[in-house]
Amino acid sequence: MNIFKSLGFGISMGCTVFVIVNLIGYWIKGDLFLDAVMATFPQQVLGSIIVGIACILPSYIYRIERLTFLQQSACHFFIAIGTFIVVGFSLKWIPTFSIKQTILLLLFNVLIFAFVWLLFYFYSQTEVKKMKKKIIEHTDSSNNQ
């Protein structure tokens, strides 16, 4: 995937998450939830886009072969979650009136990141298996000729 496709995917992801979160918030809290969002709508959308991009673009780190998979994953995680924390505190996505709620929300976001990362990991592993199978089939058919 080239960088422009990645940017587009990051923007799309940020906007999609923004819509889903606000839809759920509306279902739970009604108009009260959306009042806070609408008061700073452009900043909220821009924040969502920035977080979406910060979750997608660091995936290029997996192309750096001198880093171990654990190092690559840690870099990706800390860039994504670090961006979320900075944007989240500045846009009041993360409550600061209660340490317990702040920690719970941060843990929830870590779990979401881990879940999405696992989905991409298993998808990549499936693609690798398909490629290996095609290579083996191609090698076998070449050897039989």
Side-chain angles (χ1 to χ4, degrees), residues 44-99:
Q44 299 293 328
V45 172
L46 187 58
S48 297
I49 289 171
I50 290 168
V51 170
I53 290 170
C55 289
I56 298 300
L57 279 186
S59 65
Y60 281 92
I61 198 135
Y62 296 101
R63 295 181 181 184
I64 301 173
E65 293 180 17
R66 68 179 171 357
L67 296 176
T68 67
F69 184 67
L70 182 60
Q71 290 170 325
Q72 294 166 335
S73 298
C75 286
H76 188 189
F77 171 78
F78 286 113
I79 291 169
I81 204 72
T83 302
F84 171 78
I85 289 170
V86 169
V87 171
F89 277 119
S90 67
L91 293 176
K92 298 182 180 28
W93 295 347
I94 302 171
T96 55
F97 57 85
S98 164
I99 298 281

Side-chain angles (χ1 to χ4, degrees), residues 2-3 16 22 31-32 36 40 60-61 64 97 102 108 114 135:
N2 71 37
I3 194 144
T16 300
N22 285 289
D31 288 336
L32 182 63
T40 58
Y60 281 92
I61 198 135
I64 301 173
F97 57 85
T102 302
F108 179 71
I135 290 169

Side-chain angles (χ1 to χ4, degrees), residues 1-28:
M1 189 181 309
N2 71 37
I3 194 144
F4 294 110
K5 285 184 182 179
S6 294
L7 278 172
F9 185 66
I11 292 168
S12 299
M13 187 179 89
C15 290
T16 300
V17 170
F18 176 77
V19 169
I20 291 169
V21 166
N22 285 289
L23 187 58
I24 292 169
Y26 176 75
W27 287 335
I28 294 170

